């Protein structure tokens, strides 16, 4: 089972200066917002792929610990 802090820690490894908020406490369904300068000039798909890569396989199919992640990404205003 995975928790919100573990998800935040994994994302922070790849995005150390990001503003990261992770919500959810059922161990399977979470929502995350990641705001990072590295997203500037990238489309939403590119941004979200970068975050999913940071999760290091935790969402990989039926074997993944993380069942669902509602993800919002953007560059800072």
């Amino acid at each position: 089972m995975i928790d919100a802090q573990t998800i935040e820690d994994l994302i922070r490894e790849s995005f150390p200066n990001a503003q990261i908020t992770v919500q959810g406490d059922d161990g399977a369904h979470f929502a995350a917002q990641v705001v990072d300068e590295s997203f500037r000039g990238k489309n939403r798909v590119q941004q979200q792929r970068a975050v999913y890569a940071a999760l290091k396989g935790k969402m990989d199919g039926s074997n993944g610990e993380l069942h669902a992640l509602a993800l919002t990404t953007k560059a800072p205003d």
Side-chain angles (χ1 to χ4, degrees):
M1 193 132 113
I2 195 165
D3 62 16
Q5 187 61 55
T6 301
I7 295 168
E8 180 177 341
D9 292 345
L10 286 167
I11 296 170
R12 185 143 327 268
E13 286 180 28
S14 294
F15 302 95
N17 299 316
Q19 295 174 336
I20 302 168
T21 305
V22 180
Q23 297 176 324
D25 61 3
D26 72 353
H29 302 87
F30 295 90
Q33 181 179 47
V34 183
V35 180
D36 192 71
E37 185 60 39
S38 70
F39 295 149
R40 193 167 307 282
K42 295 182 179 175
N43 66 40
R44 190 177 321 146
V45 172
Q46 291 169 320
Q47 294 172 14
Q48 292 187 358
R49 282 183 181 157
V51 174
Y52 287 131
L55 294 173
K56 300 179 180 173
K58 300 293 184 192
M59 289 193 72
D60 287 353
S62 60
N63 295 327
E65 296 175 59
L66 179 56
H67 176 68
L69 178 65
L71 184 58
T72 302
T73 57
K74 67 178 190 169
D77 294 329

